[in-house]
Amino acid sequence: MKALTVLGTTSEAGKSVLTTALCRLLSRQGIRISPFKGASISVQSYLTEIGGEMSYAQALQAWAAGIAPAVEMNPLLLRPKGDSAYQVIIKGVVTETLSINEFHRWAEREGWALVRQCLDQLGGEFDLLVCEGAGSTAEVHLRGSDLANMRVARYLNSPTLLLVDSERGGALAHVVGTLELLEPIERALVRGIVINKWRSPQAVSQAAVSWLEERTGIPVLGVIPWDAIACSHQGTLNLLKRHGKATSPEVTVAVVRLPHLTGFADFDPLDAEPTVRVKYVSLKQSLGYPDAVILPGSRTTLADLEALQESGMAQEILDYQAAGGTVLGIAGGFQMLGEFVADPEGVEGMEGRISGLSLLPMTTVITQQKVARQRSVTSTYPHVGLHVTGYELHRGRSKFAQTDAFQPLFEDSKLGIVDSYQSVWGTYLHGIFDSGPWRRTWLNRLRQQRGLKALPTGIPNYREQRETLLENLTDFVEQNLDISPLLS
């Protein structure tokens, strides 16, 4: 398999950002790219479409490559638990908590087997893997448990970029010292050096480049100014590491974590809002007092509706709404808000009929026929004339009772409805929050209830914002980096 590896002389050298730019840069050339990082230590995670948990950095890199994030791109995610333990998430699933010593012993064999398995799988599906390292690649005392650095590069026989953070000072020493600590076979894989976050005049950078190339015999392929990391007012870092996220969010949106929840990506645009906290609530937890509650999609609507009823969460939602709370259902969650959901043939795995929450005047029967189509519609609520795009992906047909107390959300009345108080919403449209104006208008109603100032609504859609940030970052890196020697 073909691969390119980005390793660093230190932690926080900028590996994630550079790898993201490389994924977009190479995908522009028509190469089918997949990012990869064997193991990440992070409290920031992303939930894939099927609910697998992975590092947000690799999710961003997947979007840069033009593909959907998958847990195989980050098979091992470690969430710190105090100073001496990790919660271990394997291929998206939380497993156990290990001490640091226990983890390093596990990583030597079981962890490495997992990394190899995912590398082999991705290598068979894509033209090129762009692999990000972790921390410093010269931690020789951790070589046996390495799951992201030279152990990966050696397995792939991958040409490697060595990235150094000039902001820390001592950049030349970091490069030379790192190379000295690598084994000869590892040093031979380093085909280029990149100096990152450079602030000095160009004449100084040229002197540094000349000295490094003469001392190491390895070409310096790029000197990336500090502005590249701070591009778009640090917007790219906001996406990557969630810098700038409000520590005390003004609005909280609770998403009920159904046993077979789907459509996690529906909530990415909400999560990216600086003033919004998205909180996932399991059926065993108390709902609390959020500003809105969302019932998401489900792979098995009947079974999840039954679990919702038996857990007592259904009654909590009813009590919350009766007290003036806002409830929104999407796809399967929309169906659950009706009077009942029936699956007479057991299409989704459970045969029968379950009472819904009766917050909406509708009934649903699950059928064999699946609706799967892109939609582009115009809203009637929360404001007339907002353009919204998304997709339908559901089974079942819903019938709506005619009543003046409910109005259609869009010009297609079957796509969603809302009550006259705008407290109960339901829609079949996945991706509804991607529309910047619609999302902000919906949030402004919640903000108004709290006595907060309205947010501007004339903003781009979420994916357009993300694409602009990725394009700006890639353009800047491309101006300061030449990777053609590696590709040749």
Side-chain angles (χ1 to χ4, degrees):
M1 70 188 81
K2 294 182 178 181
L4 172 65
T5 305
V6 178
L7 303 182
T9 60
T10 61
S11 298
E12 304 295 333
K15 296 182 291 294
S16 294
V17 175
L18 179 58
T19 303
T20 300
L22 288 174
C23 285
R24 174 56 58 94
L25 184 60
L26 293 167
S27 67
R28 285 176 175 175
Q29 301 180 27
I31 304 172
R32 294 184 304 119
I33 302 294
S34 173
F36 183 83
K37 186 171 183 177
S40 299
I41 302 174
S42 178
V43 296
Q44 300 288 1
S45 63
Y46 173 78
L47 295 173
T48 67
E49 187 67 23
I50 60 173
E53 198 167 354
M54 64 184 289
S55 166
Y56 194 87
Q58 275 63 64
L60 183 67
Q61 291 160 8
W63 293 321
I67 59 175
V71 294
E72 288 78 12
M73 300 168 187
N74 178 225
L76 191 63
L77 177 61
L78 307 175
R79 183 174 290 118
K81 290 289 185 181
D83 295 330
S84 59
Y86 298 127
Q87 183 183 56
V88 182
I89 301 168
I90 297 176
K91 292 184 74 171
V93 179
V94 176
T95 56
E96 58 185 328
T97 297
L98 298 177
S99 70
I100 291 178
N101 289 335
E102 289 172 333
F103 167 73
H104 284 297
R105 287 194 294 270
W106 178 86
E108 289 191 25
R109 300 189 64 177
E110 291 91 340
W112 179 236
L114 171 69
V115 168
R116 291 201 319 269
Q117 176 193 40
C118 291
L119 281 170
D120 292 344
Q121 177 182 334
L122 294 173
E125 296 174 0
F126 294 92
D127 299 331
L128 182 70
L129 307 185
V130 182
C131 304
E132 179 190 337
S136 167
T137 190
E139 305 289 356
V140 293
H141 60 295
L142 300 177
R143 185 168 280 151
S145 58
D146 174 21
L147 299 177
N149 291 309
M150 269 300 173
R151 200 176 186 186
V152 170
R154 289 179 65 167
Y155 180 74
L156 298 171
N157 193 29
S158 165
T160 298
L161 282 175
L162 185 62
L163 182 65
V164 58
D165 177 4
S166 67
E167 180 76 0
R168 294 172 180 266
L172 304 186
H174 285 160
V175 173
V176 174
T178 297
L179 292 172
E180 286 294 321
L181 291 172
L182 298 180
E183 295 182 359
I185 192 174
E186 296 171 341
R187 178 171 173 144
L189 292 174
V190 179
R191 308 291 175 79
I193 298 166
V194 179
I195 303 174
N196 199 17
K197 308 179 191 177
W198 188 264
R199 289 182 183 269
S200 300
Q202 185 177 7
V204 177
S205 69
Q206 291 175 340
V209 167
S210 299
W211 187 92
L212 268 180
E213 291 183 334
E214 184 177 352
R215 179 68 170 78
T216 66
I218 300 171
V220 175
L221 301 183
V223 178
I224 303 177
W226 171 259
D227 288 347
I229 301 302
C231 72
S232 300
H233 307 290
Q234 293 192 336
T236 300
L237 282 182
N238 286 342
L239 271 171
L240 185 61
K241 297 184 179 179
R242 313 295 179 90
H243 288 179
K245 189 75 172 179
T247 55
S248 299
E250 297 172 327
V251 170
T252 298
V253 177
V255 178
V256 179
R257 189 155 189 168
L258 300 167
H260 304 95
L261 190 162
T262 60
F264 281 95
D266 285 338
F267 313 114
D268 286 350
L270 283 177
D271 202 32
E273 285 280 356
T275 63
V276 176
R277 176 194 178 199
V278 176
K279 178 179 72 170
Y280 289 91
V281 181
S282 75
L283 299 187
K284 297 179 181 179
Q285 294 176 291
S286 173
L287 189 60
Y289 303 96
D291 296 281
V293 172
I294 298 179
L295 269 177
S298 168
R299 295 193 299 276
T300 57
T301 305
L302 219 63
D304 279 2
L305 177 55
E306 183 177 61
L308 194 73
Q309 299 280 19
E310 292 181 349
S311 68
M313 179 61 76
Q315 188 59 51
E316 275 204 65
I317 294 173
L318 290 173
D319 294 343
Y320 165 82
Q321 190 276 330
T326 298
V327 178
L328 167 66
I330 300 175
F334 177 29
Q335 296 171 344
M336 294 179 196
L337 294 179
E339 295 170 11
F340 69 78
V341 180
D343 190 350
E345 301 177 34
V347 173
E348 292 186 342
M350 180 178 175
E351 185 178 332
R353 168 174 157 167
I354 303 291
S355 296
L357 276 65
S358 296
L359 290 175
L360 295 176
M362 60 182 283
T363 60
T364 301
V365 177
I366 304 298
T367 61
Q368 291 283 352
Q369 183 179 5
K370 178 185 285 188
V371 178
R373 55 182 176 175
Q374 298 289 328
R375 299 300 304 267
S376 180
V377 294
T378 302
S379 71
T380 54
Y381 286 89
H383 191 278
V384 177
L386 300 177
H387 183 63
V388 182
T389 59
Y391 66 95
E392 287 184 79
L393 183 62
H394 61 90
R395 295 185 187 275
R397 294 185 177 181
S398 297
K399 292 184 178 180
F400 304 92
Q402 296 297 321
T403 168
D404 293 337
F406 293 86
Q407 299 297 326
L409 276 179
F410 308 102
E411 74 269 19
D412 182 348
S413 60
K414 295 181 180 179
L415 199 54
I417 57 176
V418 59
D419 73 337
S420 56
Y421 297 101
Q422 297 188 40
S423 65
V424 183
W425 305 67
T427 182
Y428 272 126
L429 191 67
H430 286 285
I432 191 170
F433 290 117
D434 184 71
S435 167
W438 195 95
R439 180 180 71 252
R440 283 286 178 88
T441 305
W442 187 81
L443 286 173
N444 280 341
R445 180 185 170 275
L446 304 181
R447 295 177 62 85
Q448 183 182 26
Q449 292 178 327
R450 278 194 172 271
L452 298 170
K453 182 180 178 181
L455 298 171
T457 58
I459 62 171
N461 292 343
Y462 169 71
R463 294 182 188 181
E464 293 173 8
Q465 290 176 301
R466 190 176 69 198
E467 281 298 300
T468 298
L469 290 170
L470 290 170
E471 286 292 306
N472 290 345
L473 171 67
T474 304
D475 289 344
F476 199 102
V477 170
E478 186 177 25
Q479 293 170 12
N480 296 282
L481 179 68
D482 179 15
I483 61 169
S484 58
L486 276 71
L487 297 180
S488 63

